[in-house]
Amino acid sequence: MQKLQRGVSPYDPGYIYIVRTGNNVNEIKIGLTRETSQRLRTLFNTSVALPFNPKAIWKVPSMKPAEEAAHEIMREHRINDDRELFHVIPPVHGTAEERTSEEFSDSSIDKISEWIEDGFYQAGIEYERVYL
């Protein structure tokens, strides 16, 4: 989980985001933040070669439960249990061409966003989609 500013609780209102890594169209990060544009700048400063590309953002009344719901939905796509990085298409699924296609990645992320919204609904988590 990202480090929040002093005095900010992960249970405060904020945003859940999906960003795609700049150097691999098959990797996304799902995280939480109080301020999306600042978080994107911070992510780019964390030793990555290319900036992250925002793909979906939701405004939520409590960040942590919403992030946990999104991570649970994507648990089988998780790359490393200690990181918030997920495969768009796990290596055991799809073709190498699909896992490297930006167009296929975008359509798959749209589907993942729908799964997450369904998960929010089922968990009783209110959300508002922020359109990019």
Side-chain angles (χ1 to χ4, degrees):
M1 182 178 79
Q2 92 176 58
K3 184 176 178 181
L4 294 170
Q5 295 174 341
R6 181 177 294 228
V8 175
S9 166
Y11 295 94
D12 283 348
Y15 299 89
I16 302 301
Y17 60 83
I18 297 176
V19 292
R20 185 169 59 204
T21 60
N23 59 338
N24 184 340
V25 298
N26 195 41
E27 287 183 6
I28 56 174
K29 175 174 174 41
I30 301 173
L32 60 83
T33 188
R34 291 273 304 187
E35 211 291 312
T36 54
S37 60
Q38 178 182 343
R39 181 63 179 143
L40 288 173
R41 284 192 302 276
T42 304
L43 286 172
F44 185 47
N45 292 331
T46 56
S47 320
V48 295
L50 298 169
F52 285 80
N53 301 307
K55 293 297 176 182
I57 300 172
W58 298 273
K59 185 176 183 177
V60 294
S62 182
M63 296 179 286
K64 188 65 177 162
E67 181 190 50
E68 288 174 349
H71 287 181
E72 176 60 23
I73 289 158
M74 293 297 293
R75 75 180 174 281
E76 293 183 20
H77 293 243
R78 196 167 207 143
I79 295 170
N80 178 326
D81 288 341
D82 295 329
R83 304 296 225 156
E84 298 175 328
L85 293 171
F86 302 84
H87 285 122
V88 174
I89 304 163
V92 297
H93 299 289
T95 65
E97 184 178 340
E98 289 170 334
R99 288 190 303 274
T100 58
S101 163
E102 188 168 351
E103 183 178 326
F104 196 81
S105 173
D106 284 342
S107 66
S108 296
I109 292 169
D110 289 343
K111 190 61 168 170
I112 288 167
S113 297
E114 290 174 18
W115 296 342
I116 289 173
E117 289 178 2
D118 287 345
F120 288 165
Y121 177 79
Q122 290 175 11
I125 297 169
E126 294 180 20
Y127 68 91
E128 178 183 336
R129 182 77 182 256
V130 177
Y131 288 93
L132 307 171

